Amino acid sequence: MRLLPALAFGTLMLPLAAQANEPHSYAQPDQVVVTHLDLNLKVDFPHRQLDGRATLTLDWKNPKATTLVLDTRDLKIASIEAVDAKGKTRALTYVLAPADKQLGSKLTIQTPKRPHEVRIAYVTSPDASGLQWLPPAQTADKKQPFMFSQSESIHARSWVPLQDSPAIRFTWDAHVTAPKNLRVLMSAPNNPQHPLDGTFDFKQTHPVPSYLLAIAAGDIDVKETGPRSAVYAEPSVVGKAAHEFEDTEKMIATAEKLYGPYRWGRYDILVLPPSFPYGGMENPNMTFATPTVLVGDKSLVSLVAHELAHSWSGNLVTAASWRDIWLNEGITTYVQGRITEALYGKRQADEETLLSIHALQKSIGSMSANSQRLAPQPRDISADDSLSDVAYDKGSWFMRMLEQKFGRKDFDTYLKSYFNHFAWHSITTEQMLAFLKPNLIDKYPGKMRWAEVKDWVYGTGIPKDAPIPDSPRFDAIDKERTAFLAGTLPATKLDAKSWNTQEWMYFLDRLPDAPPLAKMQQLDAAWHLTGTPNAEIGMRWYSHAIAAGDKAAWPAAAEHMTRIGRLYLTMPLYAAFAKTPDGLAYAEQVYAKAKAGYHPLTQQAVEALFAKAKAKQPDAK
Ligand SMILES: [Zn+2]
């Protein structure tokens, strides 16, 4: 997935479930594991619910086990039955525990005979944390409703009762019905020619963890971009998206050359409505992506490189628990950089690396010691909070450190062997280290001490010798920014005509937190940043303009916040507004209008931010 905003907007700490394996799941994989899921779903737009029947195939690990424990959240259970080999069913008794705020409701099913299959009939809640239901007005084309899921980290349980832990992998198939003329897509091979007849069947033959279950339905058109790739989006968006993502086949071929074959068959991309709370989600066979990367010049397509890279790091070799999530995100961010470098050159790859380094350097100091570790002590970190800058940016930095110490050729060989060795498995940090030691560190003695490796993985902060790429263009921008702020270079004389998106991001990132208002006005007069269609630039511009007290930028900032529900691009504006009582009051008005178009995760994040700001400003009612 990419990208969550830094911990400042994170969710609450999770209380610890009593299981030894994954603290964010009630599942008991030492007793029984789900090996296959057969799903039957009806997409019910009027009631904003999925009408579901989930049949779980079970592998009993304990021959004396008497219960099956599953994760659920806000599900209404209609019936639960055991299914025998001949298809005969028998009702089972069960207890659905009161909901834990973070973990949902533990579902305990009495299974004294340890059936081969258990079938659960249920409906989801209109407020399911893993689903968003958009009325037509909140889509690009405004004709049909749209729905989509976001299961990572622990939200699959809000639309399917299952063992919701990344350590447990299962194959699945699904039969889905939806209103005619709408298209249903899932995280399995999809057929671009499928008729819109209201009935769709899916089969995921590879074992995947629950957080990679995904579904979407809406007025979705398709355009093929290569022999094994297509772009799906609303009709008015699909052409633009196909153009932006036309290099997809080149990206797949580049990754294959480095790390071995793409093993999933098709690689498609679904561009969602702007309320999608993340940049992208690596759902197998079908990346879900934000439309905010459709800027016309491919300058933000490293998002696709990132989600595609997850086909190796994350989906093929998976972190066994949320505490180990850096294995997914750190390695993926490294691989993303390699794909970007191969296709768009070292300048862009290095610039993206530097932006990630600077973001981490800025954020890591305000994190707790435990959150600064790649592999934190699991008891003190929540599932969503695990997906922090540390997992992405420190994780990829560690990979670049290894590349530098061992040389690109030997490190590439190592990483390919790592993917092959652990293919289709979920592993812990310690399993990764046990493979790293003999196959890289000890194999080429004298290049890196084991203590250094452990410092990267278990230490706080950033090791002193962490490599930082050179960027002459960023250096030149630093000089221009300094001269502009000192008054020796007018805004109109900045060399910004030649800046790409990353260079604008860098220029804006390093402005003072609250720049002088006059300077912001000069910049805007010269470069027309207010109203920019590029949301990466907009997010940085508006945050600084708000902090500078530039009220003229407020309406355009409000438009940005209303149009985009992606956490990373919207939350910094709320945070900037919330610093003053006036700004907070304005942000609350904006939110009142924008809320209906936001994903539940974005709503939660904004409301938590308001509550925090009000606690600090007792006078601001
Ligand atoms: Zn990711």
Side-chain angles (χ1 to χ4, degrees), residues 348-371:
Q348 185 166 329
D350 283 351
E351 288 182 351
E352 289 183 352
T353 296
L354 278 166
L355 288 168
S356 116
I357 285 173
H358 292 143
L360 181 66
Q361 285 171 332
K362 204 169 172 181
S363 62
I364 199 164
S366 58
M367 295 178 192
S368 71
N370 196 36
S371 301

Side-chain angles (χ1 to χ4, degrees), residues 1-2 282 306-307 310 329 332 392:
M1 175 157 60
R2 185 173 121 172
E282 65 272 22
H306 180 97
E307 305 314 332
H310 273 306
E329 298 302 348
T332 286
Y392 291 82

Side-chain angles (χ1 to χ4, degrees), residues 170-211:
F170 51 89
T171 55
W172 60 268
D173 45 53
H175 177 78
V176 187
T177 56
K180 276 189 183 153
N181 300 319
L182 297 190
R183 188 188 304 273
V184 179
L185 300 169
M186 287 192 80
S187 49
N190 287 260
N191 172 12
Q193 319 295 340
H194 197 291
L196 305 184
D197 57 4
T199 306
F200 294 80
D201 289 283
F202 303 91
K203 198 172 195 58
Q204 180 51 267
T205 56
H206 297 299
V208 291
S210 54
Y211 78 89

Side-chain angles (χ1 to χ4, degrees), residues 445-464:
K447 305 225 171 188
M448 193 172 183
R449 287 178 300 116
W450 189 242
E452 290 176 77
V453 172
K454 283 176 69 176
D455 186 35
W456 270 96
V457 175
Y458 297 111
T460 58
I462 301 156
K464 294 255 169 328

Side-chain angles (χ1 to χ4, degrees), residues 270-294:
L270 167 63
V271 178
L272 290 166
S275 65
F276 184 50
Y278 297 112
M281 178 63 211
E282 65 272 22
N283 297 316
N285 297 102
M286 182 66 72
T287 282
F288 283 16
T290 170
T292 59
V293 297
L294 305 177

